[in-house]
Every structure is written in structure tokens, then in C-alpha cells.
Amino acid sequence: MRKMRWIRAFQLFEQFRKTSISQSDLHRAEGKAVHLADKMNDFKLLLAMAKDSLSGHYKMNKWNLSIIVGTVLYVLSPLDAIPDVVPVLGWLDDLTIVGYAISKLSEEMLKYKKFKEKGMAAAG
């Protein structure tokens, strides 16, 4: 049973990875970040990366952007492996997917942090 949940979660992730995302979706996802415990700040960083990439301020390859898009859409979707209406358990699958995205994008996240620091230094 547990293995089936994982399989379903990653099937949904693959489906959502191929879908487009709007600024409104990114804003709604920020509201869900509170349920992600210690991954909240990293998830918000992923959202900032997506916003800057979609607006043309930050260059990221399409694969990395698709991981973020898939993750955001999974977190927003009511059709995930464990529905969010189930307290705590409903957020655990979201947390797992976010953790997966963070692990895959750790190098890109460091690159983005340096990009932002450089931009702040230039503005200051």
C-alpha cells in the first residue's frame, strides 16, 4: 500500500512537470509553504527562482524549471497521493516531493543565491 502511494505521487509529479504555471499559481503556493516545516524557506527559494526565471531575470535550464513547476503544481493540486484535507499526513507527501525537488536542485539553488547576492551588491 505504501509503495503504491509513492508510485502515484511520482506519476502525478511527472504529469504536472509538463504543465505550465502562472504567477498566480506561484503566489498560491507561497500560502501553502507554511505546512512544509523545515523545508519552507527552501520551497520559497524555489518559488523565487521560478518567478525570476519566468520573468526573464534569471536563466535556468528547462529541466530544472520543470522540476520546480511540477513541484508547485503537485503542492497546489487537490489530487495528490494523500489529500491535504487529511491533517499532517496530507502535507507529508507534499513535503516529500518538495524535499525531492530541493535535493535535485541544490546546485541550482546555490547558483541562484549567488545571483541574488550579486544583484543586491550591485544595487547597494
Side-chain angles (χ1 to χ4, degrees):
M1 176 92 166
R2 188 174 186 180
K3 185 177 179 181
M4 289 303 296
R5 279 192 229 139
W6 280 102
I7 291 169
R8 179 72 178 134
F10 285 103
Q11 285 173 339
L12 286 168
F13 180 82
E14 283 299 313
Q15 176 186 349
F16 294 142
R17 188 176 59 82
K18 299 172 186 167
T19 306
S20 63
I21 194 168
S22 69
Q23 292 290 337
S24 172
D25 292 329
L26 294 171
H27 183 70
R28 285 187 317 134
E30 280 185 64
K32 294 224 177 196
V34 71
H35 301 296
L36 299 175
D38 62 331
K39 301 286 187 225
M40 179 176 71
N41 291 332
D42 288 335
F43 183 65
K44 287 185 175 184
L45 182 66
L46 292 178
L47 295 174
M49 290 168 62
K51 287 177 184 177
D52 282 346
S53 182
L54 292 171
S55 67
H57 293 110
Y58 179 71
K59 299 286 185 207
M60 183 181 347
N61 70 44
K62 289 184 189 251
W63 175 253
N64 288 348
L65 184 58
S66 73
I67 291 173
I68 296 172
V69 169
T71 301
V72 169
L73 291 174
Y74 185 87
V75 168
L76 290 176
S77 174
L79 302 174
D80 52 13
I82 304 170
D84 291 347
V85 296
V86 179
V88 182
L89 287 177
W91 302 315
L92 284 178
D93 66 325
D94 292 349
L95 186 60
T96 301
I97 296 296
V98 169
Y100 170 79
I102 290 167
S103 71
K104 290 296 181 187
L105 297 173
S106 59
E107 288 182 35
E108 189 70 44
M109 292 169 72
L110 290 173
K111 183 177 155 188
Y112 179 74
K113 285 179 184 178
K114 288 178 185 175
F115 165 79
K116 291 302 276 189
E117 288 170 3
K118 190 184 284 186
M120 285 185 208

